[in-house]
Amino acid sequence: MGKPGGWNSQAGILTNLLDGNVIAIVLAVFITFSVPLLLHYIFYRRVVSPGCSNFLLLGPSGAGKTALFSLLEAKTSHLSKRTSQLTHTSQTSTVATIALPPSIPTASNRYRSVNDPSLKEISRNPIKYRLKDTPGHGKLRESQGLSQLLLMSKSKEPNTRLRGVIFVVDTAALSEDEALRDTASYLHDVLLILQKRALNRGKSSSKLATEIPVLVAANKQDLFTALPPGSVREKLQAEIDRIRKTKSKGLMDAGAVDTEEDILGNDDGLDNFSFKLLEDEVGVTVDVIGGAVKEDNKEDLGSGVQKWEEWIGMCL
């Protein structure tokens, strides 16, 4: 039997805890401060450092995908801002982990005050995402770009699940019919894959479609011959409309009955196509935002890639 005032019996422990014992006080203080710190470390750190989201970089050859990929990678690795990297037509997909600049708001912190102390943590530990660059050559789109889109859009694994598509277009070349036709055809196939992904889960799956938004990055806005984003939107919509109506007529001539999944936007292809129609009918959102693959000018913010980074931030 232990002594009533000792620590080797239940009665003794209770007596010491309630009797102002020095050891009991030290133990209570230790537990009081260590438990919250432990919980903070376990839960808060896990929230501050979420898993990387995946973005897929698509677009025709020569649009500037690899240049954009290299610029974002260089900004992450703190390379010289004045160093312009030479690019070439890529033949294989490339993946890099990119750090979002602390000045770019995200969907989770856009309403926070600039004085919020948690924003300092983001500056020290910036949010990161994975960006996959794919070849844009016509012969490689099926095996690289579209196949990656199919795989990543269906994936349920956090490491490979797709969060957004960045489709880069050369706005200085869209005034040429061949370039416009090639760009619109590729974008049509990309949007059709995302539409089928949503419709395969049922018509009430608009929420599923919004999980993978599409950014049409209207590149080369710094060139004199570049079309403004509004004109880019109109030209792409008109050309995609011609593509889908031609495809709809071909399916009808072939005697196809259920063609809803094969016609972009709706099941008859009679209405004029628009990105707004696609969003209303299916839920796939498409944003056309201008920019250029260069460092942002401090006097003209958004002249480079900042607006595209802001779009990425709103997806995180």
Side-chain angles (χ1 to χ4, degrees):
M1 297 291 295
K3 296 180 180 180
W7 291 93
N8 54 355
S9 66
Q10 184 176 0
I13 293 174
L14 293 175
T15 300
N16 287 323
L17 289 176
L18 299 175
D19 196 31
N21 186 281
V22 176
I23 298 178
I25 294 175
V26 172
L27 182 62
V29 171
F30 175 77
I31 294 175
T32 301
F33 286 98
S34 62
V35 170
L37 290 174
L38 180 62
L39 294 176
H40 172 84
Y41 180 81
I42 294 175
F43 295 106
Y44 179 75
R45 292 290 179 179
R46 189 175 299 175
V47 173
V48 169
S49 302
C52 284
S53 299
N54 295 283
F55 292 85
L56 189 61
L57 201 55
L58 301 173
S61 181
K65 298 185 309 301
T66 303
L68 174 60
F69 181 87
S70 300
L71 175 62
L72 295 177
E73 189 178 23
K75 291 175 66 176
T76 299
S77 57
H78 303 290
L79 294 178
S80 174
K81 294 183 178 180
R82 296 183 180 179
T83 302
S84 59
Q85 298 187 3
L86 296 176
T87 62
H88 58 278
T89 302
S90 55
Q91 297 182 353
T92 58
S93 299
T94 309
V95 183
T97 300
I98 310 296
L100 192 70
S103 59
I104 301 297
T106 63
S108 59
N109 67 15
R110 57 180 169 173
Y111 297 119
R112 293 184 185 179
S113 168
V114 293
N115 299 318
D116 192 328
S118 64
L119 295 179
K120 295 181 180 179
E121 177 66 26
I122 297 177
S123 299
R124 293 191 296 267
N125 185 26
I127 296 175
K128 296 181 179 180
Y129 60 93
R130 276 188 293 268
L131 184 64
K132 174 171 282 191
D133 180 26
T134 60
H137 193 278
K139 294 182 179 180
L140 299 174
R141 292 175 189 173
E142 187 71 32
S143 61
Q144 297 285 338
L146 296 179
S147 64
Q148 287 293 327
L149 177 60
L150 275 169
L151 182 65
M152 297 175 70
S153 63
K154 293 181 179 180
S155 176
K156 296 181 180 180
E157 297 295 329
N159 293 334
T160 57
R161 186 170 52 200
L162 188 60
R163 184 62 190 91
V165 174
I166 303 174
F167 191 91
V168 184
V169 301
D170 182 356
T171 58
L174 287 185
S175 55
E176 302 175 4
D177 292 341
E178 184 177 353
L180 175 61
R181 192 178 304 112
D182 180 58
T183 302
S185 177
Y186 192 7
L187 181 58
H188 170 275
D189 294 343
V190 169
L191 297 177
L192 189 60
I193 288 176
L194 296 178
Q195 173 176 291
K196 288 182 177 181
R197 170 182 176 268
L199 294 181
N200 285 339
R201 305 286 184 90
K203 287 188 176 181
S204 60
S205 59
S206 59
K207 182 178 179 181
L208 179 72
T210 58
E211 293 177 355
I212 306 179
V214 178
L215 166 65
V216 176
N219 190 22
K220 304 186 181 181
Q221 288 292 296
D222 55 331
L223 300 182
F224 179 76
T225 55
L227 296 175
S231 297
V232 171
R233 172 186 289 271
E234 292 176 0
K235 280 185 169 292
L236 288 176
Q237 289 178 157
E239 187 62 32
I240 290 176
D241 186 55
R242 281 191 284 270
I243 293 172
R244 66 196 286 268
K245 286 181 177 178
T246 301
K247 188 172 183 178
S248 176
K249 185 177 183 302
L251 290 171
M252 292 177 63
D253 292 342
V257 179
D258 187 8
T259 62
E260 180 178 357
E261 293 185 0
D262 296 317
I263 302 301
L264 188 63
N266 58 19
D267 58 352
D268 52 25
L270 298 177
D271 297 331
N272 291 330
F273 174 81
S274 67
F275 296 138
K276 183 66 168 59
L277 172 69
L278 183 64
E279 182 177 0
D280 293 341
E281 294 288 335
V282 184
V284 177
T285 59
V286 181
D287 296 307
V288 182
I289 302 176
V293 182
K294 65 176 185 177
E295 291 291 339
D296 288 281
N297 188 343
K298 293 182 179 180
E299 298 179 356
D300 184 16
L301 294 177
S303 61
V305 299
Q306 179 176 327
K307 291 182 179 179
W308 299 340
E309 289 180 315
E310 290 174 351
W311 182 89
I312 294 173
M314 288 298 102
C315 295
L316 300 175

